[in-house]
Amino acid sequence: QVQLAESGGGLVQTGGSLRLSCAASGSIFSINAMGWYRQAPGKQRELVASITSGGRTNYADSVKGRCSISRDNAKNTVYLQIDSLKPEDTAVYYCNAAGLRGRSGYRSDLWGQGTQVTVSL
C-alpha cells in the first residue's frame, strides 16, 4: 500500500523557518508531481508549492520569495522550506502526490494525513 508521511511541523515564532518533509512509501515506479497544500481553519485547502519529476516548480503568490520546494526522486521524498514565517502561514500542511504509478496501479491523487504548522506572534 502506498502512503505519504509528513514530518517537520510544529510551533514557530514569526520570522522563523520551517522545513517540512514528505516521503512516499510502498512499491512506487514514478510520481509525476509532488506538492504541498495547506488549510487554515474556516478556509479552503490551497496550493503552497509543487514540483514535477523534472524539477519544474510552482508557488503560491503568498509564499513566493520565502519558500523553496525540492524533491529527491530516488527517495520519493519532497521537502518544503519556508522562511520568514507569518501568523497567516498557520495551517495544516498536506503533502500530495499526483500521477503516482506503483505496483498496485495508478493513483491520480494521494494525500498525506497533514502536519500542523503554527506561527506565533
Side-chain angles (χ1 to χ4, degrees), residues 66-106:
R66 58 188 186 94
C67 181
S68 177
I69 189 169
S70 60
R71 177 174 172 174
D72 185 333
N73 290 329
K75 296 181 179 179
N76 292 316
T77 300
V78 63
Y79 307 94
L80 185 72
Q81 175 77 30
I82 310 179
D83 301 318
S84 303
L85 282 160
K86 307 173 183 179
E88 50 263 44
D89 292 318
T90 295
V92 178
Y93 284 68
Y94 295 92
C95 179
N96 173 265
L100 186 151
R101 296 185 184 278
R103 189 179 300 278
S104 59
Y106 177 80

